[in-house]
Amino acid sequence: MPAYKAPLRDMQFVLHELLQTEQLYQQMPKYQENVSLELINQYLEVAADFCENELAPLNHIGDQQGCHLDKGKVTTPDGFKEAYQKYTELGFTSLTADTAYGGQGLPTLLRISISEMLCGSNWAWAMYQGLSHGAMRTIEHHGTEEQKQTYLTQLVSGKWTGTMCLTEAQAGSDLGLVRTKAEPNEDGSYSITGEKIFISAGEHDLTENIIHIVLARLPNAPAGTKGISLFIVPKFNVDEAGNLADRNKVVCSAIEHKMGIHGNATCVLNFDGAKGFLIGPEHRGLNCMFTFMNTARIGTAVQGVAASEISFQGALTYAKDRLAMRSLSGAKYPDKNADPIIVHPAVRTMLMTQKAFSEGGRALAYFLAQHADILEVSNNPEQQKLSDELLAFLTPIAKAFLTESGNESAKHGVQVFGGHGFIAEHGMEQIVRDARISTLYEGTTEIQALDLLARKVLKSGGKLLQNMIQLIEEFVEHHSGHTALIPYTEKLTELTKQWHGITQEISKKAKQNPEEIGAASVDYLYFSSYVVFAYLWARMAQVADEKLQAGTSDEQFYRAKLTTAKFFYQKLLIRTQTHLAAIRSGAESVMELEQNHFSF
Amino acid sequence: MPAYKAPLRDMQFVLHELLQTEQLYQQMPKYQENVSLELINQYLEVAADFCENELAPLNHIGDQQGCHLDKGKVTTPDGFKEAYQKYTELGFTSLTADTAYGGQGLPTLLRISISEMLCGSNWAWAMYQGLSHGAMRTIEHHGTEEQKQTYLTQLVSGKWTGTMCLTEAQAGSDLGLVRTKAEPNEDGSYSITGEKIFISAGEHDLTENIIHIVLARLPNAPAGTKGISLFIVPKFNVDEAGNLADRNKVVCSAIEHKMGIHGNATCVLNFDGAKGFLIGPEHRGLNCMFTFMNTARIGTAVQGVAASEISFQGALTYAKDRLAMRSLSGAKYPDKNADPIIVHPAVRTMLMTQKAFSEGGRALAYFLAQHADILEVSNNPEQQKLSDELLAFLTPIAKAFLTESGNESAKHGVQVFGGHGFIAEHGMEQIVRDARISTLYEGTTEIQALDLLARKVLKSGGKLLQNMIQLIEEFVEHHSGHTALIPYTEKLTELTKQWHGITQEISKKAKQNPEEIGAASVDYLYFSSYVVFAYLWARMAQVADEKLQAGTSDEQFYRAKLTTAKFFYQKLLIRTQTHLAAIRSGAESVMELEQNHFSF
């Protein structure tokens, strides 16, 4: 397995130098007292130590052993339970939760940074705590005081974990098709009946209780998405004193055999008149969930960054070590039998691509997490509004593009290893298998693309896009005198014009034929993603160049940043032009073949 | 698992309508009598039946069970041995071999077509017979008459199988680093000592004997690639009567745990003074192997086609069946709860991409196999020379691009299934895992790219490229009056100009800095591949349009062909422009970062 090294230096660069986290958070009352550069770094270092030394060694074991189901009980791989215990002792389960319920009230940005390390060192393990977070947010935002005291406090302490039970066999991307029923009982509770599939961490042996958040329909519910309500369904019922009572009627009947994330139990859960409690208003379950959909998706986005980072680390280490052939410009290590493969440009291109995706992705994920914090705690309504709109616009981009680029990086990681990349013991193929889930769950890439183009861009009349373009234009204007940045700012100006233009073209064509939106959506998402990356890479280049101008003891770090920015612009950003051409060619060739004539 | 259906209609289209196989082969003395349209179709139908009904049902089993090693013996998955028995009974092992040794003397083109079906239905199983083929070709071309009688006849009958033992732990892409030793014995045989890794089908229970073709160094061998010789090393020695004698000193000490192709045993073989027999001249082992490297690589290329085809079949079936959401242009099936996902343009784009890669890849692989036949048996030296040069030029393109596009198709196949694509029982993720090997073995994509640009294009002074461009220009000229083809021929003219221009640019830059070749190579390979596909798609469009003009009972097939050609040009061929821009941006940003500053 590639050893995992938490990329603390680059994380700190993004948090402190690019995003100026301390300065910004000091302006927000909630964080004024407890968020400082030192505190962030302390947390990161504790988490890095945990990830490098506790989680990473369990990563390959988890993949090999997988989870086992016996009579409704799931056994997780060796060491997973002990690692979870240690994780709760370190206080990481309570990081962002409300202090009134045992939380530490720290920013989402910190949680996302730590989450990157958890996923990078052990993706399957990280999901057990990740899903809990969704359950916590739901109860924190929509639960009654009693529900918070009963369930939230135990989730916050990590004593229990939580799940999100959305998907059913016939209802995945289209949650309007959910059939699970909730029938009211006389005591104010509900009887929940139905089958949920793909429930991550739906059953396991890490904790004594599991709190399921379940989407179900009340008897009088309207059809479709507007008739779904949310329920809390504990694995063990809880008595009035908060102790575990009888076993609730929810059973894990199967766990899935999957391509990857073997260490995480993906469960079929059967609810057979299980006792549940309504959370939030009737029929408004999906709306309730949307309140934290953005942060959940940033959580998935950062998994893509983690995949890019760990596959880069593995590939770089191998490329410096493995000897094969000579450099085309003459032997670089004539005393060795051959040169290390990092001398070969094709290998370097793959490594630089991984590096550009990893570092650019980190910048984007953290940038978004910061806006999630601003939205939540800022006392400046104008700032909040902008953050809200930026989040709405950028979340589908981050979710889709960081996971897709994470998959691309993982592919390169295998490729750099040659045939050895295909062998399990090197761990590079596991990254491919684990990362593959990320473009599928939490909304597929295609769903994100439609969300971006149809809902966010076109439905807002271009307003949400305009916000982003304005940010870019402000950057360009502000740095117009900075000659080192000219290649970047010129390109950004050109790209924002294209972005604006192509959006208008689609909007116009869509009026004739709505299929044009769907046909353009995925390419539009990629085009937009590369431009957003270009903005962040330009900002990173600006910071790096200023540091170098000012003089620094960390010169190599900043020089590498500038090279990577240049590489991104010259080798990756150019992909925008193919996406633009694909959009312009329209829906015709996509839609022409009749369904019945589509055959083999 | 997706059921496998042999794509006979499209295979016949390529063989008979596009490539006019009967007409062409009737001109070659060797095939005049035994190669007809009917004979080809008969073979294809028998093979299709075997693949659909014998191999496909073992595909998932093979993946789940894998191979097991116990005390040097490998057990293959349930049913593999029986299927192999049936395969030999059907006579498929002897297809292309020399009739003097029990072969049927049929064309490589037929073998490659059948190979596509074998790989599509059960990749891991197909490799057992595929590797035999390499051993057969080696002995047929370079063995003595005695070696042919002793070994080749048994390989041809399928009684024994063969392997190719090239790779060692330190020597993969760079075979010059091979260390295995061959020391002469007094009886004219050699003692082979060393460890080989990644030996596909190196040990198994399908046959009573295995014939290894081994790369090793004689005591006086020069260092590097010019000091490697080829040896025949049987698992069981063979006595003068041709019967099995004592066990030779070659032992399987381990089998690899891999990402995919679990049903094929990937072996570590230890040669400990094993008895071997020199084949071909001393020190010329790599040259001997190069004589059939092209056909071996076409064999891998067609595996990529198989991956595209089977992932397309699975995805299309699912897309017609799975219901989610409504078409953007209004419900298409208002009586159902939702529309089948094939109505959504983003899903269609993935399906059309798979279709374009599968059918285009088939055309390219078969086109090359036909040229391999021409090279081998034509009585027209000029025709042979052109085929030889086209093969040299197009083989790295086919090997790299058909396997890369096979991987892309497999990715789409999972994506169309959403979360269900990640689950083993649906079989879509197995295609991804199996196909992943194909861009790694038989020379990685990066090795193919360097072979294409450095060795084939630049070293020939552009001659090999010019042949291809000339083929395209002839097509364009010949069909200048064919108005339906104008969008294709115009584009082809533009692309050949770009192709020629960018090659000259690289050649010029390479004189200043040889790293420019490596930095351009992979993008150059992709650019070239899309243009070659564009040529074949234009030819297919021409055939389809002519059929439609003439009137046909199979109208839908030809209309689908035209739509797919259009889709390829509008949505995939445009990727050339990004590759062009990447090449133009040169080596600087790739090479700038010093090795020591490349870190995390």
Side-chain angles (χ1 to χ4, degrees):
Chain A
M1 295 297 298
Y4 178 72
K5 186 177 157 230
L8 289 177
R9 178 65 188 92
D10 199 63
M11 292 169 73
Q12 286 161 351
F13 170 79
V14 175
L15 290 166
H16 306 313
E17 302 173 54
L18 179 71
L19 299 180
Q20 308 275 350
T21 300
E22 186 182 58
Q23 273 170 259
L24 182 72
Y25 284 42
Q26 292 287 322
Q27 297 161 25
M28 304 183 210
K30 183 179 175 188
Y31 297 136
Q32 233 154 29
E33 285 184 19
N34 64 354
V35 176
S36 66
L37 188 147
E38 290 72 26
L39 177 126
I40 290 175
N41 288 351
Q42 269 170 23
Y43 270 90
L44 295 183
E45 276 162 29
V46 174
D49 177 60
F50 175 74
C51 291
E52 292 171 1
N53 300 307
E54 304 285 334
L55 288 188
L58 300 177
N59 191 31
H60 187 57
I61 294 170
D63 182 59
Q64 296 293 300
Q65 292 188 351
C67 292
H68 297 278
L69 174 70
D70 186 30
K71 295 176 194 131
K73 291 190 176 176
V74 167
T75 310
T76 57
D78 291 348
F80 272 39
K81 184 171 180 168
E82 293 74 14
Y84 182 78
Q85 187 59 33
K86 184 141 190 186
Y87 181 76
T88 62
E89 284 162 14
L90 289 169
F92 286 121
T93 58
S94 62
L95 222 52
T96 53
D98 191 335
T99 50
Y101 305 95
Q104 300 177 63
L106 290 166
T108 289
L109 176 56
L110 180 61
R111 189 177 66 78
I112 289 292
S113 320
I114 292 173
S115 187
E116 186 206 317
M117 294 188 272
L118 298 171
C119 294
S121 54
N122 195 326
W123 187 309
W125 185 94
M127 288 175 67
Y128 289 103
Q129 60 81 40
L131 270 295
S132 265
H133 190 77
M136 278 190 255
R137 295 280 289 193
T138 313
I139 301 174
E140 192 170 312
H141 278 71
H142 305 290
T144 63
E145 182 57 27
E146 193 193 335
Q147 287 170 341
K148 291 181 190 176
Q149 290 299 344
T150 307
Y151 303 106
L152 181 58
T153 52
Q154 307 281 41
L155 291 167
V156 169
S157 73
K159 197 175 171 194
W160 301 344
T161 62
T163 73
M164 303 301 296
C165 299
L166 285 61
T167 305
E168 299 177 9
Q170 78 293 346
S173 296
D174 191 349
L175 288 171
L177 302 176
V178 156
R179 287 188 202 137
T180 295
K181 282 188 243 175
E183 296 189 278
N185 300 323
E186 292 191 352
D187 64 357
S189 71
Y190 294 81
S191 285
I192 312 291
T193 303
E195 186 183 82
K196 294 286 179 180
I197 67 166
F198 296 170
I199 308 308
S200 300
E203 179 59 47
H204 59 74
D205 56 3
L206 303 185
T207 55
E208 61 177 29
N209 205 6
I210 302 173
I211 307 306
H212 304 293
I213 306 292
V214 183
L215 291 187
R217 288 185 185 284
L218 290 165
N220 58 344
T225 52
K226 288 173 181 165
I228 295 173
S229 306
L230 269 181
F231 298 86
I232 296 176
V233 182
K235 172 178 166 185
F236 281 96
N237 288 310
V238 182
D239 69 18
E240 285 182 14
N243 299 315
L244 296 193
D246 57 318
R247 183 72 164 78
N248 204 352
K249 289 176 184 159
V250 46
V251 176
C252 173
S253 60
I255 57 176
E256 305 287 353
H257 297 278
K258 311 184 297 289
M259 184 178 189
I261 52 169
H262 293 164
N264 197 277
T266 305
C267 301
V268 177
L269 289 186
N270 284 289
F271 296 84
D272 184 18
K275 188 182 266 195
F277 306 94
L278 183 69
I279 178 167
E282 290 187 356
H283 312 318
R284 306 282 294 163
L286 286 187
N287 297 65
C288 289
M289 288 200 37
F290 276 119
T291 54
F292 61 90
M293 192 71 99
N294 284 338
T295 48
R297 288 181 168 174
I298 300 169
T300 308
V302 88
Q303 294 181 319
V305 178
S308 282
E309 177 67 33
I310 183 66
S311 58
F312 170 64
Q313 293 190 5
L316 178 60
T317 305
Y318 189 77
K320 288 181 173 183
D321 186 55
R322 174 75 177 179
L323 307 179
M325 299 181 286
R326 293 298 181 185
S327 164
L328 289 176
S329 54
K332 295 288 174 280
Y333 294 79
D335 52 319
K336 294 186 178 176
N337 286 333
D339 285 335
I341 60 174
I342 196 172
V343 307
H344 305 309
V347 171
R348 283 182 156 257
T349 299
M350 292 190 275
L351 295 170
M352 290 297 296
T353 301
Q354 293 175 307
K355 189 170 159 65
F357 281 147
S358 173
E359 295 175 15
R362 180 170 299 122
L364 176 55
Y366 293 11
F367 177 76
L368 275 183
Q370 197 175 65
H371 281 289
D373 285 327
I374 295 170
L375 172 63
E376 193 165 321
V377 309
S378 166
N379 50 5
N380 176 341
E382 206 174 314
Q383 197 183 29
Q384 277 184 307
K385 181 163 181 287
L386 178 63
S387 289
D388 194 19
E389 293 180 351
L390 277 175
L391 272 172
F393 178 75
L394 289 174
T395 300
I397 290 175
K399 194 300 179 172
F401 187 67
L402 302 193
T403 59
E404 291 285 354
S405 57
N407 273 266
E408 182 180 331
S409 295
K411 172 189 185 287
H412 295 318
V414 168
Q415 196 68 19
V416 168
F417 272 66
H420 297 272
F422 198 65
I423 306 299
E425 67 177 296
H426 298 299
M428 301 307 287
E429 60 89 36
Q430 186 190 336
I431 305 171
V432 172
R433 289 186 292 102
D434 287 350
R436 189 65 189 85
I437 189 60
S438 60
T439 72
L440 302 167
Y441 64 15
E442 281 291 333
T444 63
T445 300
E446 293 70 29
I447 294 282
Q448 305 297 335
L450 212 52
D451 180 45
L452 173 70
L453 179 55
R455 186 132 47 121
K456 305 298 171 55
V457 173
L458 297 179
K459 218 171 169 184
S460 77
K463 170 74 173 69
L464 298 194
L465 169 63
Q466 200 45 49
N467 287 341
M468 185 67 221
I469 288 183
Q470 200 175 324
L471 268 193
I472 298 175
E473 287 173 346
E474 281 165 14
F475 173 83
V476 169
E477 201 170 322
H478 191 78
H479 295 282
S480 59
H482 191 153
T483 48
L485 296 181
I486 289 174
Y488 304 119
T489 52
E490 282 186 348
K491 192 77 201 165
L492 282 171
T493 301
E494 181 189 329
L495 286 165
T496 49
K497 268 189 206 136
Q498 290 181 336
W499 207 0
H500 193 258
I502 197 68
T503 307
Q504 289 196 314
E505 281 178 43
I506 297 168
S507 170
K508 212 168 165 184
K509 282 202 280 187
K511 284 182 188 112
Q512 309 296 318
N513 176 11
E515 302 293 2
E516 292 285 349
I517 301 170
S521 60
V522 175
D523 285 298
Y524 187 85
L525 179 130
Y526 277 108
F527 179 91
S528 305
S529 301
Y530 284 108
V531 179
V532 170
F533 254 56
Y535 164 67
L536 289 166
W537 268 113
R539 283 186 54 183
M540 292 194 279
Q542 168 234 323
V543 172
D545 192 63
E546 284 171 4
K547 293 279 175 179
L548 286 166
Q549 297 299 331
T552 163
S553 61
D554 204 4
E555 194 182 323
Q556 292 315 329
F557 176 83
Y558 297 108
R559 292 221 175 281
K561 201 54 96 182
L562 287 177
T563 299
T564 313
K566 190 198 293 181
F567 178 88
F568 176 79
Y569 270 70
Q570 293 189 358
K571 300 291 182 183
L572 301 176
L573 184 57
I574 52 180
R575 295 181 184 177
T576 46
Q577 299 315 296
T578 288
H579 293 297
L580 206 56
I583 295 169
R584 291 220 163 101
S585 70
E588 187 197 351
S589 68
V590 176
M591 303 309 290
E592 189 170 87
L593 199 52
E594 272 185 52
Q595 183 172 331
N596 295 335
H597 304 148
F598 219 135
S599 65
F600 50 85
Chain B
M1 293 300 300
Y4 178 72
K5 185 174 158 235
L8 288 178
R9 178 66 187 93
D10 199 64
M11 292 168 73
Q12 286 161 351
F13 171 79
V14 175
L15 289 167
H16 306 313
E17 302 174 55
L18 179 71
L19 299 180
Q20 308 275 350
T21 299
E22 187 181 56
Q23 273 171 258
L24 183 72
Y25 284 44
Q26 292 288 324
Q27 298 161 24
M28 304 183 208
K30 183 179 175 187
Y31 297 135
Q32 233 155 26
E33 287 185 19
N34 63 353
V35 176
S36 67
L37 189 146
E38 290 71 27
L39 178 125
I40 290 174
N41 287 353
Q42 270 171 22
Y43 269 91
L44 294 182
E45 277 162 30
V46 174
D49 177 61
F50 175 73
C51 291
E52 291 171 1
N53 300 308
E54 304 286 334
L55 289 188
L58 300 177
N59 191 29
H60 188 56
I61 294 169
D63 183 58
Q64 297 293 300
Q65 292 187 351
C67 292
H68 296 278
L69 175 69
D70 185 30
K71 295 181 193 125
K73 291 190 176 177
V74 167
T75 311
T76 56
D78 290 349
F80 271 40
K81 186 173 178 163
E82 293 74 14
Y84 182 77
Q85 187 60 34
K86 182 139 192 189
Y87 181 76
T88 62
E89 283 161 15
L90 289 169
F92 286 122
T93 57
S94 62
L95 223 50
T96 52
D98 191 334
T99 50
Y101 305 95
Q104 301 177 62
L106 289 166
T108 289
L109 176 56
L110 180 61
R111 189 178 65 78
I112 289 293
S113 321
I114 292 174
S115 187
E116 187 206 318
M117 294 187 271
L118 298 171
C119 294
S121 55
N122 195 326
W123 187 309
W125 185 93
M127 288 176 68
Y128 289 103
Q129 59 82 38
L131 270 295
S132 266
H133 190 77
M136 277 190 256
R137 296 279 289 190
T138 313
I139 301 174
E140 193 170 312
H141 278 71
H142 305 291
T144 62
E145 182 56 29
E146 192 193 335
Q147 287 169 342
K148 290 182 191 176
Q149 290 299 344
T150 307
Y151 303 106
L152 181 58
T153 52
Q154 307 282 40
L155 291 168
V156 168
S157 74
K159 197 173 170 196
W160 301 346
T161 63
T163 73
M164 302 300 298
C165 300
L166 284 61
T167 305
E168 299 177 9
Q170 79 293 344
S173 297
D174 191 350
L175 288 172
L177 302 176
V178 156
R179 285 187 204 139
T180 295
K181 280 187 243 173
E183 296 189 278
N185 299 322
E186 290 189 356
D187 64 357
S189 71
Y190 294 80
S191 285
I192 313 291
T193 303
E195 187 183 81
K196 293 287 177 179
I197 67 166
F198 295 169
I199 307 309
S200 299
E203 178 60 45
H204 60 74
D205 56 3
L206 303 186
T207 55
E208 60 178 29
N209 205 7
I210 302 173
I211 308 305
H212 304 292
I213 307 290
V214 184
L215 292 186
R217 289 185 184 283
L218 291 165
N220 59 344
T225 52
K226 289 175 181 162
I228 295 173
S229 307
L230 269 181
F231 298 87
I232 296 176
V233 181
K235 174 178 166 184
F236 281 97
N237 288 309
V238 182
D239 69 17
E240 285 182 15
N243 298 315
L244 297 193
D246 56 319
R247 182 73 164 79
N248 204 351
K249 289 177 182 157
V250 47
V251 177
C252 173
S253 59
I255 56 175
E256 305 288 352
H257 297 277
K258 312 183 297 287
M259 183 177 189
I261 53 169
H262 292 165
N264 198 277
T266 305
C267 301
V268 177
L269 289 185
N270 285 289
F271 296 84
D272 185 18
K275 189 184 265 195
F277 306 94
L278 183 69
I279 179 166
E282 291 187 356
H283 314 320
R284 306 280 294 164
L286 287 187
N287 296 64
C288 290
M289 288 199 39
F290 275 119
T291 55
F292 61 91
M293 191 72 97
N294 284 339
T295 48
R297 287 182 170 171
I298 300 169
T300 309
V302 88
Q303 293 181 318
V305 178
S308 282
E309 177 67 33
I310 182 67
S311 59
F312 169 64
Q313 294 190 4
L316 177 60
T317 306
Y318 188 78
K320 288 181 173 184
D321 186 56
R322 175 75 179 180
L323 307 179
M325 299 183 286
R326 292 298 181 187
S327 165
L328 289 176
S329 54
K332 296 288 173 279
Y333 294 80
D335 52 319
K336 294 186 177 177
N337 287 332
D339 285 335
I341 60 174
I342 197 172
V343 307
H344 304 309
V347 171
R348 282 180 156 258
T349 300
M350 292 190 275
L351 295 170
M352 290 297 296
T353 301
Q354 294 175 307
K355 190 170 160 64
F357 280 147
S358 173
E359 295 175 13
R362 180 170 300 122
L364 176 55
Y366 293 10
F367 177 75
L368 275 183
Q370 199 176 63
H371 281 290
D373 285 327
I374 296 171
L375 172 63
E376 196 166 319
V377 309
S378 166
N379 50 6
N380 175 340
E382 206 174 314
Q383 198 183 26
Q384 277 185 307
K385 182 165 180 285
L386 178 63
S387 289
D388 194 20
E389 292 180 353
L390 277 174
L391 272 173
F393 179 75
L394 289 174
T395 300
I397 288 175
K399 173 10 180 120
F401 187 66
L402 302 192
T403 59
E404 291 285 354
S405 57
N407 273 266
E408 183 180 330
S409 295
K411 172 189 185 287
H412 294 318
V414 167
Q415 195 69 20
V416 168
F417 271 66
H420 297 271
F422 198 64
I423 306 300
E425 67 178 296
H426 299 299
M428 301 306 287
E429 59 90 35
Q430 186 190 335
I431 306 171
V432 172
R433 289 186 292 101
D434 286 352
R436 188 64 189 85
I437 189 60
S438 60
T439 71
L440 302 167
Y441 65 14
E442 281 291 333
T444 63
T445 300
E446 293 70 28
I447 294 283
Q448 305 297 335
L450 213 52
D451 180 44
L452 174 69
L453 180 55
R455 188 133 45 121
K456 304 297 171 58
V457 174
L458 298 179
K459 219 172 167 184
S460 77
K463 171 72 174 67
L464 299 193
L465 169 64
Q466 200 45 49
N467 288 341
M468 185 67 222
I469 288 182
Q470 200 175 325
L471 269 191
I472 298 176
E473 286 172 347
E474 282 164 12
F475 173 83
V476 170
E477 201 171 320
H478 191 76
H479 296 281
S480 57
H482 191 153
T483 46
L485 296 181
I486 289 174
Y488 304 119
T489 52
E490 281 185 348
K491 193 74 200 169
L492 282 171
T493 302
E494 182 188 329
L495 286 165
T496 49
K497 267 189 206 137
Q498 290 181 336
W499 207 1
H500 192 259
I502 197 67
T503 307
Q504 289 196 312
E505 280 179 44
I506 298 168
S507 169
K508 212 168 164 185
K509 281 202 280 186
K511 285 183 187 111
Q512 310 294 318
N513 177 12
E515 302 293 3
E516 292 287 348
I517 301 170
S521 59
V522 175
D523 285 298
Y524 187 85
L525 179 131
Y526 277 107
F527 179 91
S528 305
S529 302
Y530 284 107
V531 180
V532 169
F533 255 55
Y535 163 67
L536 289 166
W537 268 113
R539 283 186 55 183
M540 292 194 279
Q542 168 234 323
V543 173
D545 192 62
E546 284 171 3
K547 294 276 174 181
L548 287 165
Q549 297 299 332
T552 163
S553 60
D554 203 4
E555 192 180 325
Q556 292 315 328
F557 176 83
Y558 297 108
R559 292 224 174 279
K561 201 54 96 181
L562 287 177
T563 298
T564 313
K566 191 199 291 181
F567 178 88
F568 177 79
Y569 271 71
Q570 292 189 0
K571 300 291 182 183
L572 300 175
L573 185 57
I574 52 180
R575 295 180 184 176
T576 46
Q577 300 314 296
T578 287
H579 293 298
L580 207 57
I583 296 169
R584 292 221 163 100
S585 70
E588 186 196 351
S589 69
V590 176
M591 303 309 291
E592 188 171 87
L593 199 52
E594 272 184 52
Q595 183 172 330
N596 295 335
H597 303 146
F598 219 136
S599 64
F600 51 83

